[in-house]
Amino acid sequence: MVRMREADKYRKLSFWHDTVPGSLEPGDPLPGDLDADVAIAGAGYTGMWTAYYLSQADPGLKIVVCEREIAGFGASGRNGGWCSALFPASLGKLERMAGADAATAMYRAMQATVDEVGRVAAAEGIDCHFAKGGTVEFARSEVQLERAAEDVAEARSFGFGEEDLRLMSAVEAGELAGATGVLGATFTPHCAAIHPARLARGLAGVLRARGVSLFERTPVTEIGPGRLVTPTGTVRARYVIRATEGYTALFPGQRRSIAPVYSLMIATAPLPEAAWAQIGLTSRPTFGDLRHLIIYGQRTADGRLAFGGRGAPYHLGSAVRPSFDRVPAVFTALRRTLADLFPVLGDVEVTHGWGGPIGVPRDWCASVGLDRATGLGWAGGYVGDGVSTTNLAGRTLADLITGTDSELTRLPWVGHRSPQWEPEPLRWLGVNAGLQTMAWADRHEARTGRPSRAARVVGRFLGA
Ligand SMILES: Cc1cc2nc3c(=O)[nH]c(=O)nc-3n(C[C@H](O)[C@H](O)[C@H](O)COP(=O)(O)OP(=O)(O)OC[C@H]3O[C@@H](n4cnc5c(N)ncnc54)[C@H](O)[C@@H]3O)c2cc1C
């Protein structure tokens, strides 16, 4: 009876959890001490892709994954479902870090990763509603149109062509989606819309079938060289991987490594055909616009709009609590923005509202790595671009652990160490001032028609 209620609790986490097939009843916790080759903390995409590729590379490896709640509890089960080639650090930033060729290689690897996720989902029979319709980013003001041109110019300067990112006229964008006020758009084919919880839960099933030990309701209290400690036992392993992203700051000594910043979403009721006739998005391209405070949406396979954005506050001390997942003012703002984009949605019923923490490193550059001396590995800091990046991280960690020198292990994010965030209350002030400035900059640009210098300055301060 009690366990039934737990599954119900997980159903309420998001629209995706509510509609994922199969039981959300937690599996068994770690029953006691264990020896393994690889121990992983966290069963989000990072932990599960790592286990997936490791078990493929060497089926003899004993792999243990410990998850505090259920597989796919975190951002991996709740996200916007953009399986994209976006990487949180820009090409220019990666060039400054590691040179132009390395920057290009990183972005090419991300493009290939979108297809890799689709390939594995198909091969493993995971029906995650994968639809590779690309991404359209609307320019709904002259300033946004300039930003669109800048984005395309940057891509060209690194050798990416029309087939990677291109400008669309207002007419062409209108054929894809009937959003209001569109002056033009950028379009990239390198993105698929997915049902995130179907991917997460599907991966968990595949891992179990392969013999990976995936323990749920097993909080890791300590990660150290050769061991992963939980209340019900210790896993001793040569390699120990931290895959806890937005929850990382909850570990002792990790408070300043990755800031949990909340992203929130809403989902509408299924829309009638007449509404879809106006909205379009027939090939299910993911969509947003070129404002500063990010918005993102997708047409779901069951005919709803799932739509999200930033703007929820960062909480003092990198706190993460279930109550932070729901901010009525942000849901109202998302609803208003959605109706502004697609007025036909003005009165539509919103059936779900939810959110979760994304992991933001101080320099906004995701990283993956393994310290061979201690056996400790990590991947994360994806900001809000982890759906595909986690797959690249999993393949890379598998190569690092098995000692395979590959193209992946030479990518510039491998071994990158982000600086620590400032101590509190500076971190709280900086992150929230950044979020406020982005919202203010959007209002300023809408009012004056001029680009906001403040957004650039704050973006530079935050390392974005
Ligand atoms: C609302 C929202 C929308 C998003 N939209 C997109 C999008 O459209 N596209 C995109 O690319 N990215 C998006 N993201 C980001 C993306 O979902 C994440 O980057 C990605 O899922 C990170 O995967 P992960 O496995 O590293 O972390 P998570 O999925 O957060 O997994 C970490 C796991 O670790 C577990 N854990 C934490 N602490 C412990 C502990 N002490 N012991 C054991 N287990 C622990 C957690 O319960 C969790 O299951 C979004 C995120 C959110 C919240």
Side-chain angles (χ1 to χ4, degrees), residues 6 18 22 24 61 91 106 165 189 194-195 244 246 254 312 331 346 356 385 418 429 431:
E6 292 210 340
D18 198 18
L24 293 185
L61 283 177
L91 282 162
M106 187 75 225
L165 184 71
I194 65 160
H195 183 304
T244 48
Q254 295 285 342
F331 293 147
D385 296 328
S418 297
L429 282 168
V431 176

Side-chain angles (χ1 to χ4, degrees), residues 219-259:
V220 174
T221 51
E222 193 192 321
I223 298 180
R227 71 178 192 288
L228 197 150
V229 181
T230 84
T232 50
T234 295
V235 185
R236 283 176 299 269
R238 166 76 184 92
Y239 298 103
V240 175
I241 306 298
R242 169 172 59 71
T244 48
E245 187 62 343
Y247 307 88
T248 302
L250 304 178
F251 285 108
Q254 295 285 342
R255 201 156 284 267
R256 292 169 56 194
S257 62
I258 294 186

Side-chain angles (χ1 to χ4, degrees), residues 41-47 66-70 72-84 218-221 243-247 251 263-265 296 354-358 379 382-388 390:
Y45 297 144
T46 298
C66 293
E67 162 59 45
R68 191 176 54 188
E69 303 278 351
I70 56 167
F73 168 85
S76 299
R78 316 179 189 186
N79 59 71
W82 287 38
C83 181
S84 77
T218 302
V220 174
T221 51
T244 48
E245 187 62 343
Y247 307 88
F251 285 108
S263 202
L264 268 55
M265 295 194 69
Y296 50 89
W354 72 96
I358 59 172
Y382 311 108
V383 184
D385 296 328
V387 172
S388 45
T390 47

